PDB file of all heavy atoms in Angstrom:
ATOM      1  N   GLU A   1      99.869  80.467 116.744  1.00 96.00           N
ATOM      2  CA  GLU A   1     101.062  81.077 116.064  1.00 96.00           C
ATOM      3  C   GLU A   1     100.680  82.460 115.483  1.00 96.00           C
ATOM      4  O   GLU A   1     101.441  83.391 115.557  1.00 96.00           O
ATOM      5  CB  GLU A   1     101.517  80.154 114.935  1.00 96.00           C
ATOM      6  CG  GLU A   1     102.296  78.930 115.400  1.00 96.00           C
ATOM      7  CD  GLU A   1     102.895  78.197 114.271  1.00 96.00           C
ATOM      8  OE1 GLU A   1     103.041  78.740 113.156  1.00 96.00           O
ATOM      9  OE2 GLU A   1     103.189  77.028 114.400  1.00 96.00           O
ATOM     10  N   ALA A   2      99.430  82.541 114.942  1.00 97.00           N
ATOM     11  CA  ALA A   2      99.043  83.794 114.337  1.00 97.00           C
ATOM     12  C   ALA A   2      98.919  84.898 115.376  1.00 97.00           C
ATOM     13  O   ALA A   2      99.319  86.012 115.176  1.00 97.00           O
ATOM     14  CB  ALA A   2      97.701  83.591 113.586  1.00 97.00           C
ATOM     15  N   TYR A   3      98.375  84.563 116.576  1.00 96.00           N
ATOM     16  CA  TYR A   3      98.220  85.548 117.608  1.00 96.00           C
ATOM     17  C   TYR A   3      99.577  85.982 118.121  1.00 96.00           C
ATOM     18  O   TYR A   3      99.838  87.173 118.318  1.00 96.00           O
ATOM     19  CB  TYR A   3      97.455  84.940 118.780  1.00 96.00           C
ATOM     20  CG  TYR A   3      97.235  85.884 119.941  1.00 96.00           C
ATOM     21  CD1 TYR A   3      96.243  86.811 119.878  1.00 96.00           C
ATOM     22  CD2 TYR A   3      98.117  85.953 121.004  1.00 96.00           C
ATOM     23  CE1 TYR A   3      95.986  87.747 120.917  1.00 96.00           C
ATOM     24  CE2 TYR A   3      97.965  86.832 122.054  1.00 96.00           C
ATOM     25  CZ  TYR A   3      96.906  87.739 122.032  1.00 96.00           C
ATOM     26  OH  TYR A   3      96.731  88.708 123.010  1.00 96.00           O
ATOM     27  N   ASN A   4     100.505  85.032 118.351  1.00 95.00           N
ATOM     28  CA  ASN A   4     101.824  85.372 118.825  1.00 95.00           C
ATOM     29  C   ASN A   4     102.593  86.232 117.809  1.00 95.00           C
ATOM     30  O   ASN A   4     103.318  87.150 118.205  1.00 95.00           O
ATOM     31  CB  ASN A   4     102.603  84.110 119.195  1.00 95.00           C
ATOM     32  CG  ASN A   4     102.101  83.433 120.439  1.00 95.00           C
ATOM     33  OD1 ASN A   4     101.538  84.089 121.309  1.00 95.00           O
ATOM     34  ND2 ASN A   4     102.289  82.139 120.530  1.00 95.00           N
ATOM     35  N   GLN A   5     102.456  85.917 116.518  1.00 97.00           N
ATOM     36  CA  GLN A   5     103.099  86.732 115.499  1.00 97.00           C
ATOM     37  C   GLN A   5     102.623  88.203 115.564  1.00 97.00           C
ATOM     38  O   GLN A   5     103.443  89.104 115.524  1.00 97.00           O
ATOM     39  CB  GLN A   5     102.802  86.128 114.133  1.00 97.00           C
ATOM     40  CG  GLN A   5     103.455  86.907 112.982  1.00 97.00           C
ATOM     41  CD  GLN A   5     104.967  86.912 113.025  1.00 97.00           C
ATOM     42  OE1 GLN A   5     105.588  85.990 113.438  1.00 97.00           O
ATOM     43  NE2 GLN A   5     105.518  88.001 112.600  1.00 97.00           N
ATOM     44  N   THR A   6     101.332  88.357 115.634  1.00 97.00           N
ATOM     45  CA  THR A   6     100.756  89.763 115.732  1.00 97.00           C
ATOM     46  C   THR A   6     101.261  90.454 116.993  1.00 97.00           C
ATOM     47  O   THR A   6     101.656  91.627 116.945  1.00 97.00           O
ATOM     48  CB  THR A   6      99.281  89.673 115.745  1.00 97.00           C
ATOM     49  OG1 THR A   6      98.797  89.082 114.498  1.00 97.00           O
ATOM     50  CG2 THR A   6      98.632  91.086 115.826  1.00 97.00           C
ATOM     51  N   LEU A   7     101.234  89.760 118.106  1.00 95.00           N
ATOM     52  CA  LEU A   7     101.676  90.399 119.395  1.00 95.00           C
ATOM     53  C   LEU A   7     103.147  90.778 119.301  1.00 95.00           C
ATOM     54  O   LEU A   7     103.479  91.902 119.743  1.00 95.00           O
ATOM     55  CB  LEU A   7     101.488  89.410 120.535  1.00 95.00           C
ATOM     56  CG  LEU A   7     101.894  89.903 121.952  1.00 95.00           C
ATOM     57  CD1 LEU A   7     101.066  91.137 122.330  1.00 95.00           C
ATOM     58  CD2 LEU A   7     101.713  88.782 122.959  1.00 95.00           C
ATOM     59  N   SER A   8     103.985  89.941 118.747  1.00 95.00           N
ATOM     60  CA  SER A   8     105.399  90.339 118.644  1.00 95.00           C
ATOM     61  C   SER A   8     105.602  91.510 117.716  1.00 95.00           C
ATOM     62  O   SER A   8     106.462  92.389 117.982  1.00 95.00           O
ATOM     63  CB  SER A   8     106.194  89.127 118.104  1.00 95.00           C
ATOM     64  OG  SER A   8     105.910  88.806 116.750  1.00 95.00           O
ATOM     65  N   GLU A   9     104.832  91.616 116.613  1.00 96.00           N
ATOM     66  CA  GLU A   9     104.962  92.742 115.767  1.00 96.00           C
ATOM     67  C   GLU A   9     104.478  94.034 116.477  1.00 96.00           C
ATOM     68  O   GLU A   9     105.088  95.080 116.248  1.00 96.00           O
ATOM     69  CB  GLU A   9     104.121  92.499 114.498  1.00 96.00           C
ATOM     70  CG  GLU A   9     104.695  91.367 113.574  1.00 96.00           C
ATOM     71  CD  GLU A   9     103.745  91.074 112.445  1.00 96.00           C
ATOM     72  OE1 GLU A   9     102.641  91.657 112.350  1.00 96.00           O
ATOM     73  OE2 GLU A   9     104.149  90.168 111.597  1.00 96.00           O
ATOM     74  N   GLN A  10     103.398  93.891 117.246  1.00 96.00           N
ATOM     75  CA  GLN A  10     102.863  95.042 117.914  1.00 96.00           C
ATOM     76  C   GLN A  10     103.871  95.568 118.990  1.00 96.00           C
ATOM     77  O   GLN A  10     104.042  96.791 119.186  1.00 96.00           O
ATOM     78  CB  GLN A  10     101.548  94.704 118.578  1.00 96.00           C
ATOM     79  CG  GLN A  10     100.427  94.480 117.584  1.00 96.00           C
ATOM     80  CD  GLN A  10      99.118  93.977 118.300  1.00 96.00           C
ATOM     81  OE1 GLN A  10      99.182  93.386 119.384  1.00 96.00           O
ATOM     82  NE2 GLN A  10      98.064  94.149 117.578  1.00 96.00           N
ATOM     83  N   ARG A  11     104.562  94.674 119.683  1.00 94.00           N
ATOM     84  CA  ARG A  11     105.532  95.012 120.691  1.00 94.00           C
ATOM     85  C   ARG A  11     106.716  95.676 120.083  1.00 94.00           C
ATOM     86  O   ARG A  11     107.196  96.627 120.538  1.00 94.00           O
ATOM     87  CB  ARG A  11     105.901  93.816 121.548  1.00 94.00           C
ATOM     88  CG  ARG A  11     104.747  93.430 122.489  1.00 94.00           C
ATOM     89  CD  ARG A  11     105.103  92.225 123.375  1.00 94.00           C
ATOM     90  NE  ARG A  11     104.143  92.079 124.417  1.00 94.00           N
ATOM     91  CZ  ARG A  11     104.212  91.081 125.353  1.00 94.00           C
ATOM     92  NH1 ARG A  11     105.141  90.154 125.254  1.00 94.00           N
ATOM     93  NH2 ARG A  11     103.296  91.087 126.304  1.00 94.00           N
ATOM     94  N   ALA A  12     107.217  95.057 118.979  1.00 96.00           N
ATOM     95  CA  ALA A  12     108.333  95.674 118.292  1.00 96.00           C
ATOM     96  C   ALA A  12     107.952  97.108 117.777  1.00 96.00           C
ATOM     97  O   ALA A  12     108.817  98.034 117.824  1.00 96.00           O
ATOM     98  CB  ALA A  12     108.838  94.779 117.132  1.00 96.00           C
ATOM     99  N   GLY A  13     106.746  97.217 117.267  1.00 96.00           N
ATOM    100  CA  GLY A  13     106.265  98.535 116.774  1.00 96.00           C
ATOM    101  C   GLY A  13     106.182  99.540 117.883  1.00 96.00           C
ATOM    102  O   GLY A  13     106.555 100.726 117.749  1.00 96.00           O
ATOM    103  N   ALA A  14     105.668  99.110 119.022  1.00 95.00           N
ATOM    104  CA  ALA A  14     105.582 100.032 120.198  1.00 95.00           C
ATOM    105  C   ALA A  14     106.873 100.557 120.654  1.00 95.00           C
ATOM    106  O   ALA A  14     107.071 101.720 120.952  1.00 95.00           O
ATOM    107  CB  ALA A  14     104.781  99.330 121.335  1.00 95.00           C
ATOM    108  N   VAL A  15     107.839  99.645 120.722  1.00 96.00           N
ATOM    109  CA  VAL A  15     109.237  99.996 121.184  1.00 96.00           C
ATOM    110  C   VAL A  15     109.913 100.923 120.160  1.00 96.00           C
ATOM    111  O   VAL A  15     110.424 101.967 120.500  1.00 96.00           O
ATOM    112  CB  VAL A  15     110.069  98.765 121.443  1.00 96.00           C
ATOM    113  CG1 VAL A  15     111.551  99.154 121.670  1.00 96.00           C
ATOM    114  CG2 VAL A  15     109.506  97.996 122.585  1.00 96.00           C
ATOM    115  N   SER A  16     109.832 100.539 118.884  1.00 96.00           N
ATOM    116  CA  SER A  16     110.513 101.402 117.876  1.00 96.00           C
ATOM    117  C   SER A  16     109.794 102.740 117.764  1.00 96.00           C
ATOM    118  O   SER A  16     110.458 103.749 117.562  1.00 96.00           O
ATOM    119  CB  SER A  16     110.510 100.667 116.511  1.00 96.00           C
ATOM    120  OG  SER A  16     109.190 100.470 116.077  1.00 96.00           O
ATOM    121  N   GLY A  17     108.502 102.739 117.887  1.00 96.00           N
ATOM    122  CA  GLY A  17     107.767 104.074 117.904  1.00 96.00           C
ATOM    123  C   GLY A  17     108.184 104.996 119.024  1.00 96.00           C
ATOM    124  O   GLY A  17     108.339 106.179 118.850  1.00 96.00           O
ATOM    125  N   TYR A  18     108.414 104.366 120.201  1.00 97.00           N
ATOM    126  CA  TYR A  18     108.858 105.173 121.322  1.00 97.00           C
ATOM    127  C   TYR A  18     110.260 105.692 121.165  1.00 97.00           C
ATOM    128  O   TYR A  18     110.539 106.856 121.471  1.00 97.00           O
ATOM    129  CB  TYR A  18     108.805 104.319 122.620  1.00 97.00           C
ATOM    130  CG  TYR A  18     109.017 105.119 123.849  1.00 97.00           C
ATOM    131  CD1 TYR A  18     108.038 105.944 124.405  1.00 97.00           C
ATOM    132  CD2 TYR A  18     110.300 105.178 124.452  1.00 97.00           C
ATOM    133  CE1 TYR A  18     108.262 106.687 125.562  1.00 97.00           C
ATOM    134  CE2 TYR A  18     110.546 105.909 125.571  1.00 97.00           C
ATOM    135  CZ  TYR A  18     109.539 106.707 126.078  1.00 97.00           C
ATOM    136  OH  TYR A  18     109.750 107.473 127.223  1.00 97.00           O
ATOM    137  N   LEU A  19     111.113 104.876 120.546  1.00 97.00           N
ATOM    138  CA  LEU A  19     112.452 105.365 120.325  1.00 97.00           C
ATOM    139  C   LEU A  19     112.497 106.584 119.419  1.00 97.00           C
ATOM    140  O   LEU A  19     113.225 107.572 119.629  1.00 97.00           O
ATOM    141  CB  LEU A  19     113.342 104.256 119.687  1.00 97.00           C
ATOM    142  CG  LEU A  19     113.611 102.994 120.538  1.00 97.00           C
ATOM    143  CD1 LEU A  19     114.546 102.053 119.791  1.00 97.00           C
ATOM    144  CD2 LEU A  19     114.236 103.401 121.893  1.00 97.00           C
ATOM    145  N   THR A  20     111.704 106.508 118.338  1.00 96.00           N
ATOM    146  CA  THR A  20     111.703 107.626 117.369  1.00 96.00           C
ATOM    147  C   THR A  20     111.028 108.868 118.110  1.00 96.00           C
ATOM    148  O   THR A  20     111.486 110.038 117.841  1.00 96.00           O
ATOM    149  CB  THR A  20     110.904 107.302 116.086  1.00 96.00           C
ATOM    150  OG1 THR A  20     109.609 106.878 116.434  1.00 96.00           O
ATOM    151  CG2 THR A  20     111.656 106.255 115.377  1.00 96.00           C
ATOM    152  N   ALA A  21     110.014 108.668 118.911  1.00 96.00           N
ATOM    153  CA  ALA A  21     109.453 109.788 119.582  1.00 96.00           C
ATOM    154  C   ALA A  21     110.433 110.461 120.604  1.00 96.00           C
ATOM    155  O   ALA A  21     110.267 111.648 120.899  1.00 96.00           O
ATOM    156  CB  ALA A  21     108.180 109.328 120.435  1.00 96.00           C
ATOM    157  N   GLN A  22     111.432 109.748 121.029  1.00 96.00           N
ATOM    158  CA  GLN A  22     112.440 110.234 121.959  1.00 96.00           C
ATOM    159  C   GLN A  22     113.656 110.778 121.182  1.00 96.00           C
ATOM    160  O   GLN A  22     114.626 111.068 121.818  1.00 96.00           O
ATOM    161  CB  GLN A  22     112.850 109.208 122.926  1.00 96.00           C
ATOM    162  CG  GLN A  22     111.688 108.674 123.812  1.00 96.00           C
ATOM    163  CD  GLN A  22     110.853 109.753 124.404  1.00 96.00           C
ATOM    164  OE1 GLN A  22     111.343 110.605 125.077  1.00 96.00           O
ATOM    165  NE2 GLN A  22     109.545 109.704 124.125  1.00 96.00           N
ATOM    166  N   GLY A  23     113.531 110.872 119.898  1.00 94.00           N
ATOM    167  CA  GLY A  23     114.668 111.536 119.118  1.00 94.00           C
ATOM    168  C   GLY A  23     115.582 110.681 118.291  1.00 94.00           C
ATOM    169  O   GLY A  23     116.508 111.178 117.669  1.00 94.00           O
ATOM    170  N   ILE A  24     115.361 109.337 118.383  1.00 96.00           N
ATOM    171  CA  ILE A  24     116.185 108.405 117.519  1.00 96.00           C
ATOM    172  C   ILE A  24     115.721 108.556 116.095  1.00 96.00           C
ATOM    173  O   ILE A  24     114.514 108.429 115.817  1.00 96.00           O
ATOM    174  CB  ILE A  24     116.066 106.970 118.014  1.00 96.00           C
ATOM    175  CG1 ILE A  24     116.516 106.841 119.500  1.00 96.00           C
ATOM    176  CG2 ILE A  24     116.957 106.069 117.137  1.00 96.00           C
ATOM    177  CD1 ILE A  24     117.952 107.186 119.741  1.00 96.00           C
ATOM    178  N   ALA A  25     116.583 108.783 115.204  1.00 95.00           N
ATOM    179  CA  ALA A  25     116.264 109.011 113.767  1.00 95.00           C
ATOM    180  C   ALA A  25     115.490 107.827 113.254  1.00 95.00           C
ATOM    181  O   ALA A  25     115.919 106.630 113.463  1.00 95.00           O
ATOM    182  CB  ALA A  25     117.470 109.272 112.977  1.00 95.00           C
ATOM    183  N   TYR A  26     114.430 108.054 112.513  1.00 94.00           N
ATOM    184  CA  TYR A  26     113.568 107.027 111.982  1.00 94.00           C
ATOM    185  C   TYR A  26     114.330 106.059 111.121  1.00 94.00           C
ATOM    186  O   TYR A  26     114.073 104.840 111.170  1.00 94.00           O
ATOM    187  CB  TYR A  26     112.414 107.630 111.284  1.00 94.00           C
ATOM    188  CG  TYR A  26     111.412 106.703 110.644  1.00 94.00           C
ATOM    189  CD1 TYR A  26     110.370 106.153 111.406  1.00 94.00           C
ATOM    190  CD2 TYR A  26     111.516 106.264 109.337  1.00 94.00           C
ATOM    191  CE1 TYR A  26     109.500 105.237 110.920  1.00 94.00           C
ATOM    192  CE2 TYR A  26     110.595 105.361 108.794  1.00 94.00           C
ATOM    193  CZ  TYR A  26     109.673 104.862 109.580  1.00 94.00           C
ATOM    194  OH  TYR A  26     108.720 103.906 109.039  1.00 94.00           O
ATOM    195  N   ASP A  27     115.254 106.646 110.292  1.00 95.00           N
ATOM    196  CA  ASP A  27     115.976 105.792 109.325  1.00 95.00           C
ATOM    197  C   ASP A  27     117.029 104.880 109.930  1.00 95.00           C
ATOM    198  O   ASP A  27     117.650 104.047 109.306  1.00 95.00           O
ATOM    199  CB  ASP A  27     116.551 106.595 108.200  1.00 95.00           C
ATOM    200  CG  ASP A  27     117.594 107.637 108.702  1.00 95.00           C
ATOM    201  OD1 ASP A  27     117.872 107.672 109.879  1.00 95.00           O
ATOM    202  OD2 ASP A  27     118.053 108.430 107.831  1.00 95.00           O
ATOM    203  N   ARG A  28     117.222 105.029 111.300  1.00 96.00           N
ATOM    204  CA  ARG A  28     118.173 104.124 111.935  1.00 96.00           C
ATOM    205  C   ARG A  28     117.479 102.838 112.373  1.00 96.00           C
ATOM    206  O   ARG A  28     118.222 101.861 112.725  1.00 96.00           O
ATOM    207  CB  ARG A  28     118.728 104.827 113.189  1.00 96.00           C
ATOM    208  CG  ARG A  28     119.659 105.953 112.986  1.00 96.00           C
ATOM    209  CD  ARG A  28     120.143 106.527 114.317  1.00 96.00           C
ATOM    210  NE  ARG A  28     120.915 105.555 115.108  1.00 96.00           N
ATOM    211  CZ  ARG A  28     121.306 105.824 116.372  1.00 96.00           C
ATOM    212  NH1 ARG A  28     120.925 106.919 116.973  1.00 96.00           N
ATOM    213  NH2 ARG A  28     122.004 104.877 116.980  1.00 96.00           N
ATOM    214  N   ILE A  29     116.196 102.819 112.391  1.00 97.00           N
ATOM    215  CA  ILE A  29     115.427 101.711 113.073  1.00 97.00           C
ATOM    216  C   ILE A  29     114.664 100.874 112.054  1.00 97.00           C
ATOM    217  O   ILE A  29     114.053 101.357 111.167  1.00 97.00           O
ATOM    218  CB  ILE A  29     114.436 102.319 114.126  1.00 97.00           C
ATOM    219  CG1 ILE A  29     115.153 103.164 115.107  1.00 97.00           C
ATOM    220  CG2 ILE A  29     113.644 101.200 114.715  1.00 97.00           C
ATOM    221  CD1 ILE A  29     114.207 103.853 116.103  1.00 97.00           C
ATOM    222  N   THR A  30     114.831  99.589 112.218  1.00 95.00           N
ATOM    223  CA  THR A  30     113.917  98.643 111.532  1.00 95.00           C
ATOM    224  C   THR A  30     113.285  97.760 112.653  1.00 95.00           C
ATOM    225  O   THR A  30     113.813  97.638 113.781  1.00 95.00           O
ATOM    226  CB  THR A  30     114.685  97.675 110.613  1.00 95.00           C
ATOM    227  OG1 THR A  30     115.733  96.980 111.350  1.00 95.00           O
ATOM    228  CG2 THR A  30     115.328  98.459 109.496  1.00 95.00           C
ATOM    229  N   ARG A  31     112.140  97.212 112.322  1.00 95.00           N
ATOM    230  CA  ARG A  31     111.389  96.411 113.342  1.00 95.00           C
ATOM    231  C   ARG A  31     110.908  95.142 112.743  1.00 95.00           C
ATOM    232  O   ARG A  31     110.480  95.101 111.597  1.00 95.00           O
ATOM    233  CB  ARG A  31     110.261  97.206 114.006  1.00 95.00           C
ATOM    234  CG  ARG A  31     109.216  97.601 112.957  1.00 95.00           C
ATOM    235  CD  ARG A  31     108.214  98.554 113.631  1.00 95.00           C
ATOM    236  NE  ARG A  31     107.100  98.846 112.765  1.00 95.00           N
ATOM    237  CZ  ARG A  31     106.220  99.811 112.909  1.00 95.00           C
ATOM    238  NH1 ARG A  31     106.370 100.629 113.991  1.00 95.00           N
ATOM    239  NH2 ARG A  31     105.246 100.023 112.127  1.00 95.00           N
ATOM    240  N   LYS A  32     110.963  94.069 113.520  1.00 94.00           N
ATOM    241  CA  LYS A  32     110.520  92.740 113.075  1.00 94.00           C
ATOM    242  C   LYS A  32     109.855  92.010 114.242  1.00 94.00           C
ATOM    243  O   LYS A  32     110.304  92.120 115.359  1.00 94.00           O
ATOM    244  CB  LYS A  32     111.706  91.920 112.501  1.00 94.00           C
ATOM    245  CG  LYS A  32     112.337  92.506 111.266  1.00 94.00           C
ATOM    246  CD  LYS A  32     113.521  91.621 110.779  1.00 94.00           C
ATOM    247  CE  LYS A  32     114.150  92.151 109.536  1.00 94.00           C
ATOM    248  NZ  LYS A  32     115.298  91.344 109.066  1.00 94.00           N
TER     249      LYS A  32
END
């Protein structure tokens, strides 16, 4: 469970980080 939780957070972070890098406003995005 601990490993999967970390992996899911890392993947959500990677995706949200890419969106902001492509011009999506940071304050529009939350990640979980």
Side-chain angles (χ1 to χ4, degrees):
E1 288 187 19
Y3 180 84
N4 288 333
Q5 179 63 35
T6 299
L7 181 61
S8 69
E9 292 171 358
Q10 290 173 338
R11 287 180 166 179
V15 171
S16 60
Y18 188 79
L19 295 184
T20 56
Q22 302 310 304
I24 301 297
Y26 180 83
D27 59 3
R28 292 180 62 190
I29 302 174
T30 57
R31 61 190 187 191
K32 294 181 180 179

